[in-house]
Amino acid sequence: MNTAVEKLFLDAASNRHLDWLESEAIHIMREVAAECTNPALLFSGGKDSVVLLRIAEKAFRPGKFPFPLVHIDTGHNFPEVIEFRDRRAAELGERLIVRSVEDSIKRGTVRLRNPQTDSRNAAQAVTLLETIAEFQFDACIGGARRDEEKARAKERIFSFRDEFGQWNPKAQRPELWDLYNTRVHPGENMRVFPISNWTELDVWQYIAREKLALPSIYFAHERQVIPRNGLLVPLTDLTPAREGETVETRTVRFRTVGDISCTCPVASDAADVDAILAETAVTQITERGATRMDDQTSEASMEKRKKEGYF
């Protein structure tokens, strides 16, 4: 098989695979709209939630989305991502509900030792549960994927949360033959993950195929960083250098975006989607394993946060 024919064959196979994943995600999203009374789509401006927006467009356009977009803002997000979030929601003409961890701190429902510098990542769970109660959402659609982290690999596509917003991995419902049980009692809710079966490579292939815009920090740029515990911590007011540490200017990009206090870039010169695809195809470390300081505290840190109501 010559190179041109081989490329056509591989491209066709890739598109068939993406078509299948897209079709499944559209079906799941329509199932949420049909079976749930008051759902919401969690939209942070990150790459996975950008994919969810495109899935929603294909599922429901030319009509409006049958749910609002919701973001839980830690107040410590990267400004490039927040600007992109607001711009994309405006372009779509969809309602964006933003609730802030800062407001939860002011109410006293979130207490941090130092609210100005402590990580607010886990505290998002409290603000999310408050938002669910405020709007009485019975389902929240999110962009989590099973390949990200082993606790997420335990997650069902329709992941049940009890009346306290907690996740019990031992009390999840079977989903044989893609049959989803959406029944909840008042106060209970579902987290629904339409792209649960996607990989990081699938996401980037879909972004390339659909020509989706993303925040600029996903692409290679120069940034001051601090090498620490095998990660490149971005130099910010929230994450300053410690005594004895060295600040370096490196060419980096972000594989995932989140709270500044716990999200690190990776060394990379991948400045466009094609270069990121090539890089992702050979990487042997998951995006969270390569970028998240909060997942280094223990092997069970993500599962603990999810049990408390985390996304």
Side-chain angles (χ1 to χ4, degrees), residues 23-178:
S23 178
E24 179 191 50
I26 289 171
H27 166 69
I28 292 166
M29 207 167 280
R30 287 175 174 165
E31 190 78 0
V32 173
E35 298 294 332
C36 299
T37 302
N38 189 26
L41 191 155
L42 301 175
F43 177 59
S44 66
K47 69 181 188 305
D48 299 308
S49 58
V50 166
V51 167
L52 287 183
L53 289 189
R54 176 50 57 92
I55 298 297
E57 288 184 275
K58 294 196 174 188
F60 304 114
R61 287 295 192 240
K64 299 281 286 184
F65 294 173
F67 36 65
L69 311 181
V70 172
H71 183 222
I72 305 303
D73 188 348
T74 66
H76 290 168
N77 297 98
F78 291 95
E80 300 96 326
V81 180
I82 296 301
E83 185 277 329
F84 177 88
R85 176 202 71 186
D86 294 341
R87 175 162 47 85
R88 190 71 189 107
E91 289 169 352
L92 289 168
E94 297 293 342
R95 181 187 179 197
L96 173 64
I97 297 170
V98 178
R99 291 295 181 267
S100 173
V101 172
E102 182 69 34
D103 290 336
S104 297
I105 293 172
K106 291 176 180 176
R107 284 192 295 269
T109 52
V110 166
R111 296 186 179 184
L112 300 174
R113 186 172 301 173
N114 189 334
Q116 300 307 312
T117 58
D118 286 357
S119 176
R120 299 181 177 188
N121 193 46
Q124 292 177 87
V126 174
T127 309
L128 176 61
L129 295 179
E130 291 173 345
T131 305
I132 289 171
E134 177 185 354
F135 293 94
Q136 297 186 314
F137 293 131
D138 60 346
C140 291
I141 304 166
R145 309 185 323 270
R146 289 181 175 133
D147 77 320
E148 290 181 86
E149 204 274 341
K150 57 190 176 184
R152 284 182 166 165
K154 299 179 182 180
E155 199 101 58
R156 298 287 195 267
I157 288 176
F158 278 75
S159 181
F160 173 74
R161 297 305 205 274
D162 65 21
E163 64 272 25
F164 300 105
Q166 296 176 327
W167 174 65
N168 181 352
K170 296 181 180 179
Q172 295 298 304
R173 300 165 178 180
E175 294 180 335
L176 302 175
W177 306 294
D178 295 334

Side-chain angles (χ1 to χ4, degrees), residues 42 72 74 119-126 128-129 132 140 144 148-149 151-152 155 159 161 164-167 189 191 193 256-259 262-263 288 292 294-295 301-311:
L42 301 175
I72 305 303
T74 66
S119 176
R120 299 181 177 188
N121 193 46
Q124 292 177 87
V126 174
L128 176 61
L129 295 179
I132 289 171
C140 291
E148 290 181 86
E149 204 274 341
R152 284 182 166 165
E155 199 101 58
S159 181
R161 297 305 205 274
F164 300 105
Q166 296 176 327
W167 174 65
N189 65 86
R191 308 291 167 82
F193 305 111
T256 182
V257 296
D259 192 84
C262 63
T263 308
R288 292 193 68 92
R292 300 304 288 263
D294 52 336
D295 289 343
S301 56
M302 170 63 85
E303 184 161 326
K304 181 176 183 292
R305 293 198 302 275
K306 291 181 74 63
K307 287 179 178 178
E308 294 170 349
Y310 190 73
F311 301 178

